[in-house]
């Protein structure tokens, strides 16, 4: 991801504005105020609000790809790869609750079809990797092979999305990492081949 330090500051400030005030409050005036700069200074870094939203998605994609590369560089079992991917998401969102609010906000993406397509392409990266881990585990006999890999992916990632959404709606009333770990342990018990 090729961005300047100032562009990254703007991206993070925009995520905070969206998460705490809503997408409609992401105006150049509000964003400039939160950064302590002029409206004109923002336009030196982003041509439009749409350009800024696209950069937020690019930021999320970059984080995801870094995690996948790190997981794939390690000698982990397929189940441990699934665990690493999911627990990294919980850790990321625990450290940056605003990012969790924005990435799971349908409001943000419904107004522009290109945003939906971009987010879907990021989801497909996740799908392809996690399904790859699942299918590898099915081939090596560590994950049940009588279960559809796509369904398992949806159970693993869908349950994570629900957990994060509940955490956001409850104003972080529970420890996301602890609850996420317990939920993932349950899923792994269901899909792992007992030896």
């Amino acid at each position: 991801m090729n961005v300047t330090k100032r562009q990254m500051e703007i991206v993070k400030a925009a995520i905070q504005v969206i998460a705490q005030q809503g997408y409609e409050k992401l105006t150049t005036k509000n964003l400039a105020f939160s950064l302590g700069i002029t409206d004109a200074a923002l336009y030196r870094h982003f041509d439009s609000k749409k350009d800024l939203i696209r950069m937020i998605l690019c930021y999320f994609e970059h984080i995801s790809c870094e995690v996948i590369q790190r997981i794939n560089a390690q000698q982990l079992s397929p189940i441990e790869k699934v665990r690493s991917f999911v627990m990294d998401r919980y850790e990321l969102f625990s450290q940056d609750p605003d990012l969790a609010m924005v990435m799971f906000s349908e409001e943000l993406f419904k107004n522009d079809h290109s945003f939906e397509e971009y987010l879907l392409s990021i989801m497909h990266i996740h799908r392809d990797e996690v399904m790859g881990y699942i299918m590898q585990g099915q081939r090596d006999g560590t994950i049940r092979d009588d279960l559809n890999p796509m369904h398992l992916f949806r159970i693993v990632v869908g349950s994570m999305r629900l957990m994060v959404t509940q955490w956001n709606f409850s104003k972080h009333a529970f420890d996301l990492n602890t609850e996420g770990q317990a939920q993932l342990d349950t899923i792994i018990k269901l899909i792992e081949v007992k030896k």
Side-chain angles (χ1 to χ4, degrees):
M1 187 168 127
N2 194 14
V3 295
T4 66
K5 181 180 177 186
R6 181 49 117 181
Q7 284 176 317
M8 187 51 64
E9 289 171 356
I10 294 168
V11 164
K12 290 183 176 181
I15 289 168
Q16 186 175 39
V17 168
I18 295 166
Q20 296 176 9
Q21 301 175 42
Y23 178 70
E24 67 282 351
K25 296 292 185 184
L26 182 63
T27 62
T28 54
K29 182 178 180 179
N30 285 343
L31 188 53
F33 178 78
S34 73
L35 288 162
I37 61 176
T38 65
D39 294 16
L42 283 175
Y43 286 112
R44 285 197 289 265
H45 300 285
F46 293 98
D47 295 333
S48 65
K49 185 174 178 176
K50 185 174 180 174
D51 190 33
L52 178 56
I53 298 301
R54 193 172 291 110
M55 183 56 72
I56 290 170
L57 287 168
C58 183
Y59 170 60
F60 189 66
E61 179 182 27
H62 176 74
I63 292 169
S64 295
C65 289
E66 280 187 335
V67 169
I68 289 166
Q69 288 173 356
R70 189 169 58 246
I71 290 169
N72 291 340
Q74 300 176 58
Q75 296 297 318
L76 299 174
S77 71
I79 286 179
E80 287 307 310
K81 287 179 179 180
V82 170
R83 183 183 299 280
S84 292
F85 178 83
V86 172
M87 292 311 298
D88 181 86
R89 303 290 83 185
Y90 286 134
E91 183 64 33
L92 171 67
F93 294 142
S94 291
Q95 291 175 4
D96 193 348
D98 290 341
L99 183 62
M101 287 288 289
V102 171
M103 293 319 303
F104 291 146
S105 168
E106 293 178 19
E107 171 198 12
L108 179 61
F109 308 110
K110 71 179 179 184
N111 296 321
D112 189 311
H113 188 62
S114 67
F115 295 156
E116 290 176 342
E117 288 177 353
Y118 196 165
L119 187 58
L120 187 61
S121 75
I122 295 169
M123 289 179 178
H124 286 171
I125 292 169
H126 295 171
R127 178 201 64 199
D128 293 347
E129 288 299 322
V130 175
M131 278 183 60
Y133 305 151
I134 290 166
M135 289 186 292
Q136 181 186 359
Q138 289 177 325
R139 285 190 301 272
D140 72 16
T142 57
I143 295 177
R144 290 176 49 186
D145 64 3
D146 61 328
L147 302 173
N148 182 306
M150 176 64 85
H151 297 166
L152 292 181
F153 162 75
R154 288 179 178 151
I155 289 168
V156 169
V157 175
S159 65
M160 176 185 63
R161 184 180 178 98
L162 176 61
M163 176 79 71
V164 174
T165 300
Q166 290 173 329
W167 180 69
N168 280 329
F169 286 168
S170 73
K171 305 289 188 247
H172 315 134
F174 57 89
D175 184 279
L176 183 60
N177 286 316
T178 302
E179 288 296 312
Q181 178 73 56
Q183 178 172 275
L184 182 58
D185 287 345
T186 299
I187 292 170
I188 288 173
K189 284 179 187 175
L190 296 172
I191 69 172
E192 192 172 22
V193 172
K194 307 297 183 273
K195 295 196 176 188

